[in-house]
Amino acid sequence: MKLTKEEIKNLQRTLKSSGFDPGPIDGEWGPKTEAAYQQSQKAHDKAQPSDTNQLRTFDSRSEANIMTLVPKAQVAARKFLAAVIDAGIDAKIISGNRSWAEQDALFAKRPQVTKARGGFSNHNFGIAWDIGIFKGGAYLPESPLYVQAGQIGRQQGLEWGGDWKSFKDDPHFNLKTDLTMAQLRSAFLKGEAYV
């Protein structure tokens, strides 16, 4: 699969802001980008379940979404989902990282499902995920179990969308960064670390 120049730039930003130096953010796949990519893959591998790290494997949908997150968020999402399931809640991670274009498409949906345009959501930076709660295989868009999951997330030091004032988002969880959205976006665009 051949990446476009913009896709390579986005990957370079993600690599750099995750602590892997791809060299200049120029959209060119050179030796430094390749080396940074390989280092990031090793970090991703460490965020996967193994005999030594006590992380768990989940359903295929959750796994696919966890894999879109930065390594630190992958570990947090795995620990969180394990605790939620251990509390007797049938949950899956149904959304992870989103491109800015995917975020814009969600923003345009009616009825409104997000207040965030592309570049204005924690999902755009690999640090956020949404859960779905299920009963008998059926998705529950609303349930008091989201509040219970939110309490588990809070206990683990996560930011929970149910605590937001302007647009409550009970299924949403993300790593805390102590950055405003403008600072987070700026750090990402410059390739500066934010997690």
Side-chain angles (χ1 to χ4, degrees), residues 169-181:
D169 189 0
D170 287 351
H172 178 95
F173 296 86
N174 63 260
L175 294 180
K176 289 183 180 177
T177 65
D178 296 326
L179 298 175
T180 66
M181 184 54 61

PDB file of all heavy atoms in Angstrom, residues 169-181:
ATOM      1  N   ASP A 169     -20.770  12.951  26.969  1.00  0.00           N
ATOM      2  CA  ASP A 169     -20.476  11.867  26.034  1.00  0.00           C
ATOM      3  C   ASP A 169     -20.101  10.635  26.858  1.00  0.00           C
ATOM      4  O   ASP A 169     -18.927  10.292  27.008  1.00  0.00           O
ATOM      5  CB  ASP A 169     -19.344  12.301  25.102  1.00  0.00           C
ATOM      6  CG  ASP A 169     -19.112  11.347  23.953  1.00  0.00           C
ATOM      7  OD1 ASP A 169     -19.829  10.326  23.859  1.00  0.00           O
ATOM      8  OD2 ASP A 169     -18.204  11.611  23.143  1.00  0.00           O
ATOM      9  N   ASP A 170     -21.110   9.971  27.424  1.00  0.00           N
ATOM     10  CA  ASP A 170     -20.884   8.861  28.350  1.00  0.00           C
ATOM     11  C   ASP A 170     -20.010   7.735  27.793  1.00  0.00           C
ATOM     12  O   ASP A 170     -19.264   7.122  28.555  1.00  0.00           O
ATOM     13  CB  ASP A 170     -22.215   8.292  28.839  1.00  0.00           C
ATOM     14  CG  ASP A 170     -22.922   9.218  29.824  1.00  0.00           C
ATOM     15  OD1 ASP A 170     -22.321  10.220  30.270  1.00  0.00           O
ATOM     16  OD2 ASP A 170     -24.095   8.931  30.152  1.00  0.00           O
ATOM     17  N   PRO A 171     -20.062   7.414  26.497  1.00  0.00           N
ATOM     18  CA  PRO A 171     -19.209   6.325  25.993  1.00  0.00           C
ATOM     19  C   PRO A 171     -17.728   6.700  25.820  1.00  0.00           C
ATOM     20  O   PRO A 171     -16.904   5.841  25.517  1.00  0.00           O
ATOM     21  CB  PRO A 171     -19.821   6.002  24.623  1.00  0.00           C
ATOM     22  CG  PRO A 171     -21.190   6.569  24.646  1.00  0.00           C
ATOM     23  CD  PRO A 171     -21.092   7.780  25.521  1.00  0.00           C
ATOM     24  N   HIS A 172     -17.365   7.972  26.004  1.00  0.00           N
ATOM     25  CA  HIS A 172     -16.027   8.474  25.664  1.00  0.00           C
ATOM     26  C   HIS A 172     -15.051   8.415  26.842  1.00  0.00           C
ATOM     27  O   HIS A 172     -15.371   8.846  27.947  1.00  0.00           O
ATOM     28  CB  HIS A 172     -16.126   9.932  25.190  1.00  0.00           C
ATOM     29  CG  HIS A 172     -14.802  10.531  24.881  1.00  0.00           C
ATOM     30  ND1 HIS A 172     -14.282  10.548  23.609  1.00  0.00           N
ATOM     31  CD2 HIS A 172     -13.879  11.134  25.671  1.00  0.00           C
ATOM     32  CE1 HIS A 172     -13.088  11.135  23.639  1.00  0.00           C
ATOM     33  NE2 HIS A 172     -12.826  11.493  24.887  1.00  0.00           N
ATOM     34  N   PHE A 173     -13.823   7.955  26.533  1.00  0.00           N
ATOM     35  CA  PHE A 173     -12.725   7.930  27.504  1.00  0.00           C
ATOM     36  C   PHE A 173     -11.446   8.337  26.786  1.00  0.00           C
ATOM     37  O   PHE A 173     -11.268   8.047  25.601  1.00  0.00           O
ATOM     38  CB  PHE A 173     -12.553   6.525  28.101  1.00  0.00           C
ATOM     39  CG  PHE A 173     -13.752   6.090  28.886  1.00  0.00           C
ATOM     40  CD1 PHE A 173     -14.825   5.489  28.258  1.00  0.00           C
ATOM     41  CD2 PHE A 173     -13.809   6.324  30.246  1.00  0.00           C
ATOM     42  CE1 PHE A 173     -15.948   5.116  28.972  1.00  0.00           C
ATOM     43  CE2 PHE A 173     -14.937   5.952  30.976  1.00  0.00           C
ATOM     44  CZ  PHE A 173     -16.011   5.348  30.335  1.00  0.00           C
ATOM     45  N   ASN A 174     -10.557   9.030  27.498  1.00  0.00           N
ATOM     46  CA  ASN A 174      -9.253   9.353  26.914  1.00  0.00           C
ATOM     47  C   ASN A 174      -8.200   9.543  27.980  1.00  0.00           C
ATOM     48  O   ASN A 174      -8.510   9.767  29.154  1.00  0.00           O
ATOM     49  CB  ASN A 174      -9.306  10.569  25.986  1.00  0.00           C
ATOM     50  CG  ASN A 174      -9.687  11.861  26.643  1.00  0.00           C
ATOM     51  OD1 ASN A 174     -10.840  12.257  26.539  1.00  0.00           O
ATOM     52  ND2 ASN A 174      -8.770  12.534  27.304  1.00  0.00           N
ATOM     53  N   LEU A 175      -6.938   9.435  27.552  1.00  0.00           N
ATOM     54  CA  LEU A 175      -5.827   9.749  28.446  1.00  0.00           C
ATOM     55  C   LEU A 175      -5.905  11.226  28.786  1.00  0.00           C
ATOM     56  O   LEU A 175      -6.254  12.046  27.933  1.00  0.00           O
ATOM     57  CB  LEU A 175      -4.482   9.486  27.765  1.00  0.00           C
ATOM     58  CG  LEU A 175      -4.105   8.058  27.419  1.00  0.00           C
ATOM     59  CD1 LEU A 175      -2.734   8.042  26.756  1.00  0.00           C
ATOM     60  CD2 LEU A 175      -4.101   7.175  28.651  1.00  0.00           C
ATOM     61  N   LYS A 176      -5.559  11.575  30.017  1.00  0.00           N
ATOM     62  CA  LYS A 176      -5.472  12.988  30.387  1.00  0.00           C
ATOM     63  C   LYS A 176      -4.123  13.517  29.921  1.00  0.00           C
ATOM     64  O   LYS A 176      -3.102  12.849  30.070  1.00  0.00           O
ATOM     65  CB  LYS A 176      -5.593  13.146  31.906  1.00  0.00           C
ATOM     66  CG  LYS A 176      -6.970  12.883  32.439  1.00  0.00           C
ATOM     67  CD  LYS A 176      -7.028  13.141  33.934  1.00  0.00           C
ATOM     68  CE  LYS A 176      -8.415  12.872  34.465  1.00  0.00           C
ATOM     69  NZ  LYS A 176      -8.487  13.050  35.919  1.00  0.00           N
ATOM     70  N   THR A 177      -4.140  14.719  29.355  1.00  0.00           N
ATOM     71  CA  THR A 177      -2.893  15.312  28.884  1.00  0.00           C
ATOM     72  C   THR A 177      -2.545  16.609  29.611  1.00  0.00           C
ATOM     73  O   THR A 177      -1.431  17.092  29.492  1.00  0.00           O
ATOM     74  CB  THR A 177      -2.964  15.642  27.381  1.00  0.00           C
ATOM     75  OG1 THR A 177      -3.955  16.657  27.186  1.00  0.00           O
ATOM     76  CG2 THR A 177      -3.266  14.417  26.554  1.00  0.00           C
ATOM     77  N   ASP A 178      -3.494  17.204  30.316  1.00  0.00           N
ATOM     78  CA  ASP A 178      -3.322  18.521  30.941  1.00  0.00           C
ATOM     79  C   ASP A 178      -3.076  19.619  29.911  1.00  0.00           C
ATOM     80  O   ASP A 178      -2.545  20.674  30.234  1.00  0.00           O
ATOM     81  CB  ASP A 178      -2.198  18.508  31.997  1.00  0.00           C
ATOM     82  CG  ASP A 178      -2.534  17.593  33.174  1.00  0.00           C
ATOM     83  OD1 ASP A 178      -3.730  17.489  33.529  1.00  0.00           O
ATOM     84  OD2 ASP A 178      -1.616  16.974  33.725  1.00  0.00           O
ATOM     85  N   LEU A 179      -3.432  19.362  28.654  1.00  0.00           N
ATOM     86  CA  LEU A 179      -3.310  20.356  27.594  1.00  0.00           C
ATOM     87  C   LEU A 179      -4.698  20.768  27.137  1.00  0.00           C
ATOM     88  O   LEU A 179      -5.615  19.955  27.134  1.00  0.00           O
ATOM     89  CB  LEU A 179      -2.552  19.784  26.393  1.00  0.00           C
ATOM     90  CG  LEU A 179      -1.110  19.330  26.609  1.00  0.00           C
ATOM     91  CD1 LEU A 179      -0.575  18.682  25.343  1.00  0.00           C
ATOM     92  CD2 LEU A 179      -0.231  20.494  27.024  1.00  0.00           C
ATOM     93  N   THR A 180      -4.840  22.021  26.731  1.00  0.00           N
ATOM     94  CA  THR A 180      -6.084  22.427  26.079  1.00  0.00           C
ATOM     95  C   THR A 180      -6.115  21.782  24.699  1.00  0.00           C
ATOM     96  O   THR A 180      -5.085  21.304  24.202  1.00  0.00           O
ATOM     97  CB  THR A 180      -6.163  23.955  25.923  1.00  0.00           C
ATOM     98  OG1 THR A 180      -5.128  24.361  24.997  1.00  0.00           O
ATOM     99  CG2 THR A 180      -6.008  24.677  27.247  1.00  0.00           C
ATOM    100  N   MET A 181      -7.268  21.794  24.062  1.00  0.00           N
ATOM    101  CA  MET A 181      -7.353  21.225  22.716  1.00  0.00           C
ATOM    102  C   MET A 181      -6.434  21.984  21.761  1.00  0.00           C
ATOM    103  O   MET A 181      -5.769  21.379  20.912  1.00  0.00           O
ATOM    104  CB  MET A 181      -8.803  21.244  22.215  1.00  0.00           C
ATOM    105  CG  MET A 181      -8.996  20.577  20.877  1.00  0.00           C
ATOM    106  SD  MET A 181      -8.370  18.868  20.743  1.00  0.00           S
ATOM    107  CE  MET A 181      -9.335  18.043  21.981  1.00  0.00           C
TER     108      MET A 181
END
